Amino acid sequence: MYKEIELTVKPEYIDEYKDGYPLICKESIADLSRLTKEGTIVNLMDSKKKFIAKGYYGIQNKGYGWVLSSNKDEQIDAEYFAKRIKSAIEYREEFFNDKETTAFRVFNGEGDGVGGLTIDYFDGFYMVTWYSIGIYELKDEVLKALKSSVEYKGMYQKKRFDAKGQYLDDADDFVCGTKADAPIIVKENGVNFAIYLDDGPMVGVFLDQREVRKTIRDKYAKGKTVLNTFSYTGAFSVFAALGGSSKTTSVDLANRSRSKTEEHFSINGIHVESQEIIVEDVFNYFKYAVKKNLLFDLVVLDPPSFARSKKVTFSVAKDYVKLLKEAIQITNRGGVIVASTNYANFGMMTFRDFIFKAFKELGGKYTVEESFTLPKDFRVAEKFKEGDYLKVVFIKKVK
Ligand code: SAH
């Protein structure tokens, strides 16, 4: 049994928690000094010692922990986690039955009732990500629950503990079962991806962009020249090439991006030589493209929220308008820019304002063709809509 303590919620926050708000905010707790050890189970009480909700203490950039239950008698044990995991699996039945897609999210934090914990599925392997020391303290119960709820080839884990969600590279990511090949090949809508489960913070693909990739392949790529910026392992380029693009150009600063992108082309039967892969700072590439009068029909912009290269520090919140303006200038009239961000601290409306501003400043005109937020497997909590961090807009450059 885990230690449980009582915490007093300030009066002005009580209604929020009663209404189901899942994040335990530092500001809402009157007696913070009672919190000493992460992983402690906390009972949120009003000043008259009446129970409101139960959660755990775990420090993340977002807050001080997550609510787990509104039932005061709930035991936070393997049985509790198994209940949550089973209902998460049920919610994703169509994914488990889909032979064309063998990589998806099985458990999405507070969207599935346990903030700070995600579980991804890669063709029989499970990847558990712990977002705080607090949830990691509960790992024995969580893993026991997962093992009893699924058939698995093997399990892996990633620790993202510090306030910025940085990956902690202190140990082997392998947990149990059989070890995965490096890489294993998974499928997404029939397309192959090479996944490395034990090779640093990222495994090779961001699963939340699945619908965007499919849309590019099925509706936007045919006959088009495609520029994929911040291309990582080239996932967007592969989908564009399979959708019949005339050529893709992938640009990423990281050296590894070349071999990873080549690998993704070749495991999908695409001629690597017919595609261009450029290892360079995107901002330099934009300058080069302008100088050479290069124009593209489809430009994908999916930068990290923060990036530091030798010369520039880029932050999505400050610099997206500038980034868009650079992209607009090398997009053909009638071409499409796929503008994307996973930055959680502004919403779709602010993002749409960035787009408006970028075109206005250039005297251009555009239409929005379609937009995307998180897909179904990245389940969002009813009372925590800000958990839907993804914003993707397909913008057609009219002028
Ligand atoms: N769009 C990718 C994911 C991008 S991850 C996908 O869908 O798979 C962010 C990538 O941006 C990383 O691969 C990183 O190497 C790259 N990056 C960061 N700063 C950059 C810069 N200034 N120029 C080019 N690439 C950069």
Side-chain angles (χ1 to χ4, degrees):
M1 256 286 286
Y2 291 92
K3 202 178 137 204
E4 294 199 11
I5 64 166
E6 290 184 356
L7 288 180
T8 314
V9 175
K10 292 182 190 164
E12 64 269 34
Y13 292 90
I14 288 173
D15 284 348
E16 302 295 323
Y17 290 122
K18 276 193 179 156
D19 189 43
Y21 189 74
L23 182 65
I24 301 177
C25 303
K26 188 179 170 188
E27 300 74 29
S28 69
I29 305 300
D31 40 9
L32 269 183
S33 61
R34 293 175 56 82
L35 288 173
T36 50
K37 189 174 179 313
E38 287 195 53
T40 304
I41 300 300
V42 297
N43 288 303
L44 304 182
M45 318 293 277
D46 68 14
S47 53
K48 297 201 180 87
K49 296 267 178 210
K50 216 169 141 247
F51 174 86
I52 304 166
K54 189 186 288 277
Y56 74 90
Y57 170 40
I59 299 180
Q60 258 181 266
N61 59 342
K62 288 179 188 155
Y64 264 44
W66 294 93
V67 170
L68 297 172
S69 177
S70 56
N71 171 6
K72 75 173 173 355
D73 299 321
E74 185 106 61
Q75 298 288 314
I76 307 304
D77 52 14
E79 212 178 300
Y80 162 83
F81 289 113
K83 205 165 59 187
R84 294 294 200 196
I85 290 170
K86 281 183 185 131
S87 82
I89 288 170
E90 241 165 62
Y91 178 80
R92 291 158 178 88
E93 202 182 339
E94 66 196 272
F95 289 92
F96 281 97
N97 291 333
D98 183 353
K99 299 235 165 1
E100 295 301 301
T101 297
T102 59
F104 52 90
R105 179 147 292 188
V106 174
F107 197 95
N108 195 42
E110 72 283 358
D112 285 291
V114 183
L117 168 73
T118 63
I119 306 174
D120 292 325
Y121 178 86
F122 295 100
D123 191 30
F125 289 92
Y126 287 79
M127 171 62 75
V128 181
T129 303
W130 316 99
Y131 286 89
S132 70
I133 293 170
I135 189 69
Y136 188 67
E137 288 289 323
L138 304 172
K139 74 171 188 310
D140 291 349
E141 310 290 311
V142 174
L143 290 173
K144 193 169 158 199
L146 182 59
K147 286 176 199 167
S148 71
S149 307
V150 299
E151 278 175 41
Y152 59 94
K153 294 177 186 165
M155 290 186 191
Y156 282 77
Q157 64 180 356
K158 304 263 179 231
K159 299 173 196 167
R160 292 176 174 273
F161 286 169
D162 76 1
K164 290 202 191 91
Q166 292 277 6
Y167 173 70
L168 186 69
D169 198 5
D170 67 339
D172 200 350
D173 287 342
F174 177 66
V175 178
C176 66
T178 44
K179 286 206 172 182
D181 291 341
I184 54 168
I185 307 297
V186 302
K187 272 195 192 307
E188 179 185 280
N189 291 309
V191 177
N192 293 323
F193 281 134
I195 300 296
Y196 295 79
L197 294 176
D198 196 3
D199 185 25
M202 302 188 287
V203 299
V205 67
F206 292 98
L207 298 175
D208 53 4
Q209 296 277 14
R210 181 188 313 111
E211 288 173 358
V212 180
R213 285 188 282 266
K214 183 174 190 299
T215 302
I216 287 174
R217 179 189 66 185
D218 297 351
K219 290 166 67 177
Y220 290 89
K222 199 165 179 30
K224 306 294 192 213
T225 53
V226 178
L227 174 65
N228 181 10
T229 62
F230 308 96
S231 55
Y232 182 41
T233 62
F236 285 121
S237 309
V238 169
F239 269 74
L242 292 171
S245 64
S246 57
K247 188 187 160 190
T248 66
T249 303
S250 307
V251 183
D252 195 293
L253 192 61
N255 276 321
R256 61 161 194 245
S257 69
R258 180 183 299 280
S259 58
K260 299 260 184 199
T261 304
E262 283 174 357
E263 178 177 42
H264 271 161
F265 282 132
S266 77
I267 61 173
N268 285 289
I270 302 160
H271 248 282
V272 174
E273 293 74 32
S274 58
Q275 312 297 329
E276 199 167 355
I277 301 169
I278 298 171
V279 176
E280 209 196 338
D281 191 316
V282 164
F283 295 96
N284 285 341
Y285 183 77
F286 281 137
K287 286 197 198 96
Y288 165 84
V290 168
K291 207 160 74 196
K292 295 277 175 186
N293 290 320
L294 299 183
L295 285 170
F296 297 88
D297 301 319
L298 185 70
V299 177
V300 179
L301 281 185
D302 180 31
S305 295
F306 300 95
R308 197 168 296 142
S309 61
K310 272 179 210 137
K311 282 186 229 120
V312 267
T313 335
F314 172 84
S315 106
V316 157
K318 268 195 359 266
D319 302 318
Y320 213 104
V321 173
K322 180 169 164 266
L323 183 65
L324 273 166
K325 281 164 76 178
E326 307 248 33
I328 292 165
Q329 291 178 61
I330 58 165
T331 303
N332 267 318
R333 200 177 267 207
V336 170
I337 297 169
V338 181
S340 168
T341 178
N342 59 7
Y343 188 61
N345 294 345
F346 59 73
M348 187 58 110
M349 285 307 169
T350 302
F351 194 48
R352 291 285 295 264
D353 279 348
F354 289 169
I355 298 165
F356 179 82
K357 210 166 162 208
F359 275 91
K360 189 164 181 227
E361 286 177 15
L362 290 175
K365 278 212 166 68
Y366 68 99
T367 53
V368 168
E369 300 295 295
E370 52 192 307
S371 60
F372 291 82
T373 54
L374 284 176
K376 185 184 173 188
D377 50 328
F378 284 67
R379 193 178 186 177
V380 175
E382 192 63 39
K383 306 289 179 178
F384 197 73
K385 292 278 192 250
E386 54 268 52
D388 192 346
Y389 56 80
L390 186 67
K391 297 161 274 289
V392 185
V393 183
F394 284 63
I395 311 156
K396 185 185 242 173
K397 173 174 166 176
V398 178
K399 190 175 91 148

